[in-house]
Amino acid sequence: MKQIKTLTKASLKETKSKGGCGECQTSCQSACKTSCTVANQKCENI
Amino acid sequence: MIHQYTMFGLNIVLDVYSGAVHAVSDAVYEILLYLADETELPDTIPANVLNILSERYTKDELIEAYGEIYELHKQGLLLTDDEYKDLALNLPKKSVVKALCLHIAHDCNLRCSYCFADTGSFKGKRSLMSFETGKKAIDFVIENSEHRRNIEIDFFGGEPLINFKVVKQITEYAKEQGKLHDKNFRFTITTNGLLLNDEINDYINENMSNVVLSLDGRPQINDRVRRRVDGTGSYDTIVPKFKKLVESRGTKDYYIRGTFTANNLDFAQDVMHIVSLGFKQTSMEPVVVPDTEYYAILPEHLNKIYSEYERLAQIYIEKRQSGEPFNFFHFMIDLDQGPCVIKRLSGCGAGHEYLAITPDGDIYPCHQFVGDKNFYMGNVFDKTFDLSIKEKFEKSNVYTKPSCQDCFAKFYCSGGCCANAYHFNNDINKPYEMACAMERKRVECAIAIAAKLKLDE
């Protein structure tokens, strides 16, 4: 494509069926303790 | 639903429901302004859009731009529809406890003026957790975690190092019980650093997967707020101790975690001061206090905060590109390998997956609810555990929060912090708007950083 560069195709929809195992870290435990960025957590089931 | 914005000279388009991110031409960007609410597209560019934009772009340019938009739409990467609502309403109702915040000490050797924990006492009597309480808490999480293997324990306070003997006893007990019950305990500790020494460093490095070290940045900024009981500052004592701990830690995780207030809205300077000390893992959080406090962050501060995040993001990119990278907690969004949508819907897990335990063994939804009788959930000694409160938190997600519905950042913050929502709006499902505004800016910066770095590769 000439006018659009897709930087990530990471499809959230694909994780709908295989996600939810819950083995990932609780986000509040990592560094914030007051706010809530979840998207920087790692999946532990890849 | 899409979100489009410009940063670092890039036109960025986030497709909210697929998670796809695109850098686009000016023509595509402008066409999308007219299509933002669409989920079904015609196969040729709408005549009205073509007419309006013909003043600035050639017909061929617009047709080509629309063709690319249409192709990505068909691939499910642009202007996609919401497919998660039913999923959110039918999430597994019975979650299991997998993380505890252990309040090792309801006391502290600092008297920070912004402390949400009332300078360590959590609005109660100053007290220390006993080993017995810690054991009961570990037993509690093992009993309530069912098949979940990874269990997190955060040693928190107050200041946990004033009761470090018990931290060690609980850690050893959890490791021993973990072997018996096939649980992988991961420990973290949050400390102001005053009491760190070689012996404690060795134990932390051996046992704690992450350590959160509190420092607000420049000496005058830190010492204005983070003062000892006698009123003197803490910077000169803690910085050498943090350096020693971090140097001895090897590749294990740590964060230097600061708080900014209305007194240092130029907080990027504090992050960079921390980096200049040699630390690479940083976090800087906005203070959360009632608007009546003189250092509270208020709506009129937001524009300055936005430009400060953007300034920090610019430096973040420059440092990466010059081979001197550092991490900033909220900018560490991996566009390719983030968490699943179920995690993004349900958030931090407070009140159901994540609980706080006080020195007396009382159970609360998280550290920020401790001491609030309305959120008392039970006690690890008599094994009471109020499932009705647990259920309220279990049911709360992005789709139970009306103000999240039109927000592009909802899958990055999961609807925000329930405690902030409750404390400002008296409802865990009504997010604290100031936090939302700052989170949206951080998410924009994080995506723009990732985009810029990828395009410059």
Side-chain angles (χ1 to χ4, degrees):
Chain A
M1 287 192 178
K2 289 180 183 169
Q3 299 202 42
I4 301 180
K5 286 178 184 155
T6 296
L7 301 166
T8 175
K9 292 183 177 180
S11 183
L12 280 184
K13 294 187 180 183
E14 284 170 20
T15 69
K16 207 167 83 166
S17 51
K18 59 185 179 184
C21 74
E23 294 293 349
C24 51
Q25 189 185 29
T26 305
S27 48
C28 206
Q29 296 282 57
S30 48
C32 61
K33 287 280 184 191
T34 51
S35 61
C36 200
T37 294
V38 168
N40 58 6
Q41 301 293 300
K42 287 177 190 153
C43 175
E44 303 208 22
N45 197 21
I46 296 171
Chain B
M1 181 180 181
I2 58 170
H3 177 62
Q4 52 188 117
Y5 63 102
T6 58
M7 198 181 284
F8 310 134
L10 300 174
N11 295 326
I12 295 169
V13 177
L14 165 68
D15 186 62
V16 173
Y17 294 112
S18 70
V21 176
H22 314 278
V24 305
S25 69
D26 290 344
V28 169
Y29 193 87
E30 289 209 48
I31 293 171
L32 284 172
L33 290 172
Y34 293 93
L35 303 176
D37 296 328
E38 306 296 330
T39 52
E40 289 296 327
L41 294 184
D43 54 11
T44 54
I45 185 167
N48 62 326
V49 178
L50 186 64
N51 286 338
I52 294 166
L53 295 179
S54 289
E55 290 174 13
R56 287 195 294 285
Y57 304 96
T58 65
K59 191 177 174 190
D60 286 349
E61 222 176 344
L62 291 168
I63 289 171
E64 180 185 75
Y66 186 82
E68 293 184 14
I69 291 170
Y70 184 77
E71 194 177 325
L72 288 171
H73 174 64
K74 287 292 165 200
Q75 288 175 25
L77 296 171
L78 194 55
L79 296 163
T80 53
D81 205 359
D82 183 359
E83 288 181 18
Y84 310 121
K85 196 165 189 174
D86 288 345
L87 177 73
L89 294 172
N90 296 300
L91 283 175
K93 290 288 179 280
K94 194 173 175 300
S95 51
V96 298
V97 182
K98 65 176 190 178
L100 294 182
C101 180
L102 293 186
H103 290 224
I104 291 299
H106 270 192
D107 198 359
C108 190
N109 44 8
L110 287 182
R111 293 291 183 269
C112 307
S113 42
Y114 53 43
C115 184
F116 79 95
D118 196 25
T119 69
S121 67
F122 284 83
K123 297 189 173 71
K125 64 181 191 301
R126 293 186 181 272
S127 57
L128 302 179
M129 182 177 278
S130 66
F131 177 37
E132 198 53 33
T133 305
K135 275 166 81 171
K136 293 288 182 191
I138 297 299
D139 294 344
F140 173 84
V141 74
I142 288 172
E143 282 168 28
N144 286 280
S145 56
E146 294 184 10
H147 56 281
R148 218 57 65 92
R149 188 158 184 275
N150 290 331
I151 308 286
E152 295 152 40
I153 303 292
D154 187 35
F155 296 109
F156 198 63
E159 171 49 43
L161 295 190
I162 62 179
N163 194 18
F164 196 66
K165 183 181 162 198
V166 170
V167 169
K168 290 201 285 190
Q169 287 173 320
I170 296 171
T171 303
E172 296 307 318
Y173 180 73
K175 281 160 44 179
E176 173 196 307
Q177 292 299 307
K179 280 180 196 155
L180 293 175
H181 297 276
D182 192 30
K183 301 290 181 188
N184 176 37
F185 277 93
R186 289 189 290 205
F187 306 97
T188 61
I189 190 163
T190 302
T191 177
N192 64 33
L194 279 179
L195 296 177
L196 285 172
N197 59 35
D198 289 348
E199 189 191 336
I200 291 175
N201 286 359
D202 288 347
Y203 193 82
I204 286 176
N205 288 338
E206 194 176 322
N207 291 285
M208 310 285 164
S209 60
N210 189 13
V211 51
V212 180
L213 307 168
S214 302
L215 171 69
D216 285 355
R218 293 163 289 180
Q220 69 275 23
I221 296 297
N222 184 80
D223 287 353
R224 183 168 178 178
V225 179
R226 302 189 64 78
R227 289 188 295 241
R228 297 168 208 252
V229 180
D230 66 7
T232 59
S234 55
Y235 181 97
D236 287 343
T237 304
I238 58 176
V239 167
K241 286 174 184 268
F242 287 166
K243 282 184 175 177
K244 197 166 187 186
L245 173 60
V246 168
E247 278 164 15
S248 63
R249 207 160 158 69
T251 56
K252 283 195 163 181
D253 287 341
Y254 72 91
Y255 277 98
I256 301 288
R257 187 251 190 241
T259 297
F260 73 86
T261 73
N263 293 332
N264 61 316
L265 295 174
D266 57 348
F267 58 88
Q269 290 202 45
D270 293 291
V271 175
M272 294 321 298
H273 177 79
I274 289 167
V275 171
S276 76
L277 294 170
F279 300 114
K280 303 287 188 198
Q281 310 297 330
T282 70
S283 168
M284 185 65 72
E285 295 290 321
V287 73
V288 183
V289 288
D291 290 353
T292 48
E293 295 290 349
Y294 69 91
Y295 50 82
I297 291 173
L298 303 172
E300 57 263 39
H301 297 140
L302 282 175
N303 282 339
K304 167 68 180 156
I305 291 169
Y306 295 157
S307 58
E308 200 64 11
Y309 276 126
E310 216 166 303
R311 197 160 78 84
L312 183 61
Q314 180 68 49
I315 300 169
Y316 194 89
I317 291 168
E318 287 166 11
K319 287 280 187 186
R320 298 223 147 212
Q321 293 183 330
S322 65
E324 301 170 294
F326 69 96
N327 282 324
F328 179 69
F329 180 71
H330 291 289
F331 290 169
M332 293 161 63
I333 291 179
D334 181 344
L335 293 182
D336 297 316
Q337 293 284 351
C340 63
V341 72
I342 293 167
K343 169 86 169 178
R344 291 169 185 261
L345 284 174
S346 45
C348 70
H352 57 116
E353 291 181 329
Y354 167 65
L355 301 170
I357 311 290
T358 72
D360 294 332
D362 292 340
I363 305 168
Y364 286 94
C366 84
H367 54 290
Q368 292 202 59
F369 286 105
V370 164
D372 184 334
K373 285 176 190 161
N374 294 324
F375 288 92
Y376 172 80
M377 297 179 79
N379 187 283
V380 294
F381 281 96
D382 61 18
K383 297 193 176 182
T384 49
F385 188 35
D386 187 336
L387 294 179
S388 67
I389 294 179
K390 181 171 179 266
E391 199 177 315
K392 275 185 200 162
F393 282 88
E394 261 168 356
K395 284 187 172 169
S396 173
N397 63 56
V398 161
Y399 287 88
T400 63
K401 301 177 182 182
S403 64
C404 295
Q405 300 320 300
D406 295 328
C407 178
F408 75 87
K410 57 189 168 186
F411 298 128
Y412 293 82
C413 74
S414 305
C417 169
C418 291
N420 289 348
Y422 179 73
H423 291 137
F424 283 89
N425 297 325
N426 210 31
D427 184 341
I428 63 169
N429 286 306
K430 288 186 181 164
Y432 169 42
E433 179 50 36
M434 286 289 289
C436 296
M438 289 185 274
E439 176 70 2
R440 281 193 286 271
K441 186 65 190 182
R442 291 191 296 255
V443 169
E444 282 190 344
C445 288
I447 291 173
I449 288 168
K452 178 80 176 150
L453 291 173
K454 266 197 175 185
L455 288 170
D456 286 355
E457 265 173 11

